Amino acid sequence: MNADTKDIRQIASGTDSTAEGPLRLSRRALIIGAPLVLAACQSSGIATTGAAITPAVAKGPPLPGEDFDYAKAYAAVTDYDFKVPALPYKNFDRKYWRQVVDYDSRHPAGTIIVDPYGKFLYWTLPGGKALRYGIGVGKAGFAWSGDAKVRVKRVWPLWRPPREMIARNPHLEKYWKDGYPRGPQNPLGARALDLWQGSVDTLYRIHGTKEPNSIGRSVSSGCIRMWNQDIMDLFERVPTHTNVVVLGKPSASS
């Protein structure tokens, strides 16, 4: 195996069920990837897939607690030769920092619950708790709600602007064929989770962002944005086939 080959660890099983051993990712594969033409939050890139499993919420990175080191959690990091800049987290409302909160839910531990109207994503934990992340929501993020599963997990995904966006901004046409290059300036950031209903791609994505200030806000385009350090953290916790619930607009009486 070439020296530039690295592992991507799939959290619960450590393997890709479609491969004969641990999933491997080379720098060459990361740069080339396989194109996937999508609308809405269009993405393509190195993907991990796997058999359905029961999420093991006790595994993964440490959960934030009273002594959690936020400076380390949001520090600059080199990831697959890309440099993710440090997040100036103290400039943002603390409620958007990654944190464990009380969260009463009928959904079992290990479920992702997206609240696009409250600007939060919850990963449910046992005992009426959840790990909460701040999110930013584009128009596509309000366009769909319901139940889905994480079908594909993408590392440094490509981004192709939808045709509707190209019509409004013709200068983006150059990114339609080969996509916007992977890296910290890519609109999808460091990771993307593709949500499917059965065999149907919802075209709904949870992904990173190059615009930290968009977290906690409604933005012009995209699905669900997270700080790159947060989507990387969530990516390490959730296996494929994780259940995802995207909440609809609250009723006037609620």
Side-chain angles (χ1 to χ4, degrees), residues 69-113:
D69 189 345
Y70 280 102
K72 182 178 180 180
Y74 290 127
V77 62
T78 298
D79 178 74
Y80 291 97
D81 296 331
F82 295 117
K83 293 183 178 179
V84 179
L87 177 74
Y89 63 97
K90 291 184 179 179
N91 294 346
F92 300 95
D93 193 317
R94 191 183 181 94
K95 68 183 181 180
Y96 297 122
W97 300 6
R98 183 191 320 164
Q99 58 191 283
V100 175
V101 298
D102 293 328
Y103 191 70
D104 186 19
S105 173
R106 62 182 176 83
H107 300 286
T111 303
I112 293 175
I113 300 176

Side-chain angles (χ1 to χ4, degrees), residues 130-230:
L131 178 56
R132 188 180 73 187
Y133 304 87
I135 59 175
V137 188
K139 290 181 180 178
F142 293 108
W144 182 86
S145 62
D147 297 345
K149 289 183 182 291
V150 175
R151 175 74 174 271
V152 181
K153 300 168 62 177
R154 300 188 185 278
V155 177
W156 291 106
L158 284 174
W159 175 73
R160 287 185 176 84
R163 279 299 180 187
E164 295 82 356
M165 184 178 292
I166 293 174
R168 297 192 302 270
N169 301 285
H171 70 279
L172 295 176
E173 177 69 37
K174 60 185 177 181
Y175 299 124
W176 173 253
K177 181 179 179 181
D178 298 322
Y180 193 99
R182 297 178 176 88
Q185 294 305 308
N186 188 295
L188 296 182
R191 302 286 190 273
L193 305 178
D194 298 3
L195 306 189
W196 289 57
Q197 289 181 314
S199 60
V200 178
D201 185 354
T202 67
L203 305 181
Y204 199 93
R205 307 288 183 256
I206 301 170
H207 60 83
T209 181
K210 64 177 182 177
E211 300 175 338
N213 290 333
S214 65
I215 301 307
R217 299 171 50 203
S218 296
V219 289
S220 60
S221 62
C223 291
I224 296 300
R225 303 181 180 191
M226 299 175 68
W227 286 323
N228 276 325
Q229 285 87 343
D230 279 351

